[in-house]
Amino acid sequence: MGARHREIIIDAYNLLHKLRPAGSRDSLRHRREEMESLLLSFRQSSGQKITLVYDGSHKHGPCREAGDLDRVFTTRNRTADDWIIGYLKSLGRNTQMFTIVSSDRLIRMHATALGALCMPSEVFAETLLGREDWNVPAPAGREPEEKCGGKALGDKEIARWMKTFGT
């Protein structure tokens, strides 16, 4: 993740399940606090803004908490995936300043089509758990977008996505 990508948006439960697979005896709250502690250390080391998007159960609109780690809890009828895609669409050309962390192919396809970089949750989890210097480039000298979907989008595919999203 290069310095030009100043904000990381994370599909929070997706990353949580990569860090601590289901079946853990710890409560969901404890696992979430543990993940957020790792992310806070990462943020302090890298200087990158981080927004965690959780599938929520709020009845009256999404809940957004600003702080060292921004948190978004979606409404009961809206997933984190929907929120992330909608947020990216609202950014216009500024999506180039964002890195999306999710293993969900739909989010990654939208992120790539809209100009953001993306990184699978398992790769980001490896970064959090195994790397002491969080300011170094992604493993093996590859850009995060290469891990996301293979090869770069061609002009025809970009045009198709732009038409699909009306941009």
Side-chain angles (χ1 to χ4, degrees):
M1 287 175 280
R4 68 180 198 144
H5 298 285
R6 292 177 291 191
E7 184 169 350
I8 300 170
I9 299 175
I10 299 174
D11 184 348
Y13 285 126
N14 189 277
L15 177 61
L16 179 69
H17 295 303
K18 300 301 179 186
L19 287 168
R20 298 280 305 274
S24 169
R25 294 178 190 209
D26 292 329
S27 70
L28 180 60
R29 181 183 203 158
H30 181 266
R31 291 169 51 210
R32 209 169 55 216
E33 288 170 354
E34 195 175 64
M35 175 183 74
E36 289 183 8
S37 177
L38 275 171
L39 289 168
L40 187 55
S41 295
F42 175 83
R43 184 197 181 293
Q44 290 169 343
S45 175
S46 69
Q48 294 179 299
K49 181 178 178 186
I50 296 174
T51 299
L52 293 162
V53 184
Y54 290 100
D55 294 303
S57 59
H58 291 275
K59 297 177 184 176
H60 307 291
C63 172
R64 187 164 194 160
E65 301 172 355
D68 289 332
L69 295 173
D70 289 350
R71 293 172 190 86
V72 174
F73 296 90
T74 64
T75 57
R76 193 178 315 177
N77 59 351
R78 190 167 190 208
T79 66
D81 302 8
D82 294 337
W83 189 94
I84 292 169
I85 292 167
Y87 184 67
L88 287 175
K89 287 180 180 180
S90 76
L91 294 172
R93 294 187 180 265
N94 293 329
T95 57
Q96 295 175 354
M97 301 305 292
F98 291 81
T99 298
I100 307 304
V101 174
S102 179
S103 292
D104 186 298
R105 284 188 79 191
L106 183 63
I107 292 175
R108 294 186 349 229
M109 286 182 355
H110 278 80
T112 301
L114 292 167
L117 288 182
C118 57
M119 178 180 282
S121 295
E122 51 273 15
V123 173
F124 193 72
E126 288 174 19
T127 299
L128 286 176
L129 295 172
R131 295 181 53 210
E132 293 180 27
D133 180 359
W134 286 324
N135 287 318
V136 260
R142 294 169 54 191
E143 289 295 318
E145 62 190 338
E146 290 180 335
K147 292 183 175 81
C148 178
K151 60 185 178 181
L153 296 176
D155 290 339
K156 287 182 182 179
E157 192 168 1
I158 290 172
R160 182 175 61 85
W161 281 105
M162 297 298 264
K163 183 178 176 184
T164 300
F165 296 115
T167 56

